[in-house]
Amino acid sequence: MVKICGIGAGYVGGPTMAVIALKCPSIEVTVVDISHSRISAWNSDHLPIYEPGLQEVVQQCRGKNLFFSTDVGKHVSDADIIFVAVNTPTKSRGLGAGKAADLTYWESAARVIAETSKSNKIIIEKSTVPVRTAEAIERILTHNSNGVSFQILSNPEFLSEGTAIEDLLNPDRVLIGGRQTPEGQKAVQALKSIYAQWVPEDKIVTTNLWSSELSKLADNAFLAQRISSINAMSALCEATGAEVSEVSHALSKNSKIGSRFLNSSVGFGGSCFQKDILNLVYIAESNGLTEVANYWKQVIQMNDYQKDRFVKRVVSSMFNTISGKKIAVLGFAFKKDTSDTRKTPAIDVCKGLMRDDASLSIYDPKVSEDQILRDLAMDSVECDHPVHLQPVISPSTMKQVRIVQDAYEATKDAHGICVLTEWDEFKTLDYQRIFFSMQKPAFVFDGRNILNAGKLREIGFIVYSIGKPLDPWLRP
Ligand SMILES: NC(=O)c1ccc[n+]([C@@H]2O[C@H](COP(=O)([O-])OP(=O)(O)OC[C@H]3O[C@@H](n4cnc5c(N)ncnc54)[C@H](O)[C@@H]3O)[C@@H](O)[C@H]2O)c1
Ligand SMILES: O=c1ccn([C@@H]2O[C@H](COP(=O)(O)OP(=O)(O)O[C@H]3O[C@H](CO)[C@@H](O)[C@H](O)[C@H]3O)[C@@H](O)[C@H]2O)c(=O)[nH]1
């Protein structure tokens, strides 16, 4: 029986390995992690991440051909194929701090592989890594190999959170990069034959190692660039009376542009976009390509501008002071259908409101109180590291923040509402009831353009929707 070991039981490693186990019953898949709490959650009824459809897949395979363990060395040693899906956060210190990828976790995984391996193995980069990481990993492995041979492949992951299982079951494409040697190509074929169990062959794209590594960074940079482009338009819309959703719609009808990733928002979040663009910027700078680096930096600067603009709009609308005012924050996750809060725009918006001394009442249907408080207390780099290595935060340090259990409690007596995640349930709340329970004038700041602004205005709210014509009240 072929044995696969997945190192890293996170948002990528967990779902990816579970789907391989589901689709390849003759392969034994074990997912290992250094975090004991994560592994015990994977072995329980309360999985460590929320992802539609994941629970069902795990329940179907766990204990049959899918296992979760903290015994990294044993399962690495037993495996024929090893997927590495560990964190690759932005470096917080030293050379390249704030931009370059921190490969500490990758390197420690590589060292365990080198130390424990007694048979030849295929090592697969699932994490998103800088171009030519495979070369560095190869060096660590071959210098410590005890005669064992390793083939390194790049197989970046393109799933989106919230639709991870659907994306894994029906991917647009699977990308595999390998060495152009007979051994490299043999390894590419071995991995291809696993995906071919459920992915049509014409969707499996093979390239050289460096193209595959760079394509993943390019993919995220292009997607984020579309969001920053439409967000730039949203500011122009507010200034001119155009409507950003109408502009998006018009653009989407151009088949050369297409319809996806054109929703204007309070800003993009998630663990990947910012980190991967910074990584790209660093690689460009390291290669002396200043203009290329500056071009991609702009995508992040526009995203920061969008969040900042939103906070300024809230403060300026409410008579230039939100000091002591209760503001309801609806949604904290970086997008709907996930409990993930990494780099969520809600963190920057909430911190911005707190700097102006607002009192926040936050509700999110899937994010825990502990997570929100930690996010608001941590600096932005710490939250990209494994959970058990993050600082412990005492809830009492966050006097300005209350986490509540529903939207009605959050909005009671509030002066304003900020919608920061597009959860479906926010569309169908009883806004008449909410209006009655709020201070007047009652404001709504829709950072996701999900609410019917016309209906809210009829009720009596003063409404700001990103990229839409401004209420007379909000005009300078
Ligand atoms: N989250 C996404 O949607 C997504 C999508 C595509 C690619 N990626 C990339 O995949 C990688 C993993 O991302 P993630 O979101 O799954 O991160 P994550 O933090 O959810 O999971 C990573 C896991 O690796 C574990 N780990 C770290 N070092 C280890 C080691 N040496 N041995 C064993 N376990 C170790 C951590 O404890 C953690 O549980 C990153 O490079 C990311 O950029 C993420
Ligand atoms: O039109 C849009 C689309 C998305 N977003 C925001 O952009 C962020 C990222 O969304 P999305 O891309 O759907 O989620 P991720 O799970 O971060 O997925 C991205 O990052 C992954 C990690 O690398 C890649 O695998 C995926 O292909 C890539 O889409 C979220 O805050 C969204 O709210 C917008 O503001 N407007």
Side-chain angles (χ1 to χ4, degrees):
M1 194 180 209
V2 172
K3 286 190 177 172
I4 287 181
C5 175
I7 306 183
Y11 285 88
V12 169
T16 314
M17 294 301 109
V19 167
I20 291 182
L22 180 77
K23 292 295 181 182
C24 307
S26 63
I27 296 179
E28 185 181 298
V29 181
T30 306
V31 193
V32 295
D33 203 293
I34 46 174
S35 162
H36 286 256
S37 61
R38 269 224 162 150
I39 290 298
S40 54
W42 279 108
N43 281 321
S44 77
D45 290 337
H46 301 284
L47 303 185
I49 61 178
Y50 170 71
E51 200 53 72
L54 175 64
Q55 184 101 24
E56 290 79 354
V57 175
V58 170
Q59 268 165 0
Q60 217 173 311
C61 307
R62 197 173 52 196
K64 292 182 190 144
N65 67 331
L66 177 65
F67 304 91
F68 295 91
S69 166
T70 49
D71 195 344
V72 181
K74 177 191 180 322
H75 295 287
V76 161
S77 165
D78 288 352
D80 306 292
I81 300 175
I82 299 172
F83 285 81
V84 185
V86 299
N87 321 59
T88 49
T90 304
K91 257 184 106 170
S92 57
R93 303 159 59 128
L95 190 65
K99 285 184 218 150
D102 178 350
L103 293 178
T104 311
Y105 302 107
W106 229 113
E107 186 175 333
S108 70
R111 288 187 185 278
V112 172
I113 297 172
E115 279 159 22
T116 55
S117 294
K118 294 184 188 66
S119 56
N120 298 347
K121 296 185 195 310
I122 297 174
I123 313 297
I124 297 166
E125 289 177 346
K126 240 323 161 199
S127 300
T128 305
V129 290
V131 201
R132 300 199 82 90
T133 297
E135 196 171 43
I137 299 305
E138 241 168 25
R139 284 199 189 132
I140 294 174
L141 291 174
T142 46
H143 279 277
N144 301 280
S145 72
N146 306 320
V148 170
S149 120
F150 298 102
Q151 279 305 316
I152 321 285
L153 300 179
S154 159
N155 172 220
E157 185 48 61
F158 296 104
L159 66 80
S160 288
E161 288 178 30
T163 53
I165 297 300
E166 178 53 30
D167 294 345
L168 288 165
L169 292 173
N170 298 300
D172 288 343
R173 78 291 201 210
V174 167
L175 180 56
I176 303 175
R179 287 274 186 200
Q180 306 299 305
T181 57
E183 300 78 28
Q185 289 307 299
K186 203 173 150 203
V188 169
Q189 288 310 318
L191 182 56
K192 214 175 155 179
S193 70
I194 293 176
Y195 283 111
Q197 301 294 314
W198 77 97
V199 180
E201 284 225 19
D202 60 343
K203 289 194 172 178
I204 306 179
V205 178
T206 55
T207 65
N208 79 29
L209 269 172
W210 324 129
S211 306
S212 173
E213 288 176 336
L214 184 58
S215 296
K216 173 63 193 177
L217 298 179
D219 210 81
N220 276 351
F222 272 57
L223 292 173
Q225 183 222 44
R226 280 173 74 98
I227 303 170
S228 278
S229 298
I230 199 66
N231 282 343
M233 291 299 157
S234 76
L236 214 44
C237 285
E238 287 166 31
T240 58
E243 271 228 23
V244 75
S245 47
E246 293 181 352
V247 174
S248 296
H249 183 64
L251 288 171
S252 72
K253 294 292 168 194
N254 181 343
S255 57
K256 285 175 275 183
I257 294 176
S259 63
R260 301 192 62 192
F261 281 74
L262 286 180
N263 287 328
S264 182
S265 65
V266 62
F268 61 73
S271 63
C272 297
F273 282 174
Q274 176 160 323
K275 155 177 95 67
D276 294 347
I277 293 175
L278 288 171
N279 192 345
L280 200 60
V281 166
Y282 183 71
I283 295 166
E285 281 173 352
S286 308
N287 283 282
L289 304 171
T290 311
E291 288 76 6
V292 178
N294 288 343
Y295 175 76
W296 288 110
K297 251 188 233 170
Q298 277 296 321
V299 173
I300 295 175
Q301 283 166 4
M302 184 52 63
N303 198 46
D304 289 339
Y305 168 71
Q306 190 75 349
K307 291 179 271 187
D308 194 44
R309 209 164 75 71
F310 187 86
V311 172
K312 284 189 176 137
R313 181 72 73 188
V314 174
V315 180
S316 67
S317 309
M318 297 170 85
F319 318 103
N320 262 335
T321 175
I322 51 171
S323 179
K325 289 181 183 166
K326 176 172 172 181
I327 306 226
V329 172
L330 299 189
F332 199 83
F334 81 97
K335 60 190 273 196
K336 74 171 182 177
D337 291 340
T338 176
S339 54
D340 194 355
T341 59
R342 290 176 293 177
K343 292 285 178 299
T344 174
I347 295 178
D348 287 337
V349 170
C350 288
K351 284 185 176 175
L353 298 173
M354 285 160 74
R355 271 193 294 274
D356 257 74
D357 293 327
S359 170
L360 302 183
S361 188
I362 304 175
Y363 165 66
D364 186 287
K366 288 286 174 213
V367 184
S368 70
E369 172 166 2
D370 176 58
Q371 185 63 51
I372 295 174
L373 293 176
R374 275 195 295 141
D375 285 332
L376 292 178
M378 273 190 287
D379 72 36
S380 63
V381 180
E382 290 166 327
C383 56
D384 289 336
H385 291 265
V387 185
H388 65 290
L389 301 179
Q390 294 173 9
V392 179
I393 308 290
S394 143
S396 60
T397 56
M398 301 254 92
K399 292 200 174 63
Q400 275 170 274
V401 182
R402 277 193 64 222
I403 314 302
V404 297
Q405 295 314 309
D406 75 66
Y408 296 105
E409 193 185 347
T411 50
K412 187 168 180 301
D413 292 324
H415 289 256
I417 301 173
C418 294
V419 178
L420 300 184
T421 311
E422 71 280 23
W423 287 106
D424 289 334
E425 66 175 67
F426 299 155
K427 296 180 191 167
T428 53
L429 292 170
D430 180 349
Y431 282 97
Q432 184 73 65
R433 172 180 161 195
I434 287 176
F435 181 75
F436 282 133
S437 75
M438 285 177 65
Q439 303 283 337
K440 308 293 176 322
F443 295 83
V444 173
F445 303 92
D446 183 359
R448 295 290 182 167
N449 280 343
I450 54 165
L451 304 182
N452 184 332
K455 280 205 177 128
L456 293 179
R457 287 193 184 103
E458 276 171 26
I459 293 173
F461 285 103
I462 295 160
V463 185
Y464 165 70
S465 310
I466 292 217
K468 302 269 171 92
L470 293 179
D471 266 9
W473 183 291
L474 303 173
R475 283 192 209 124

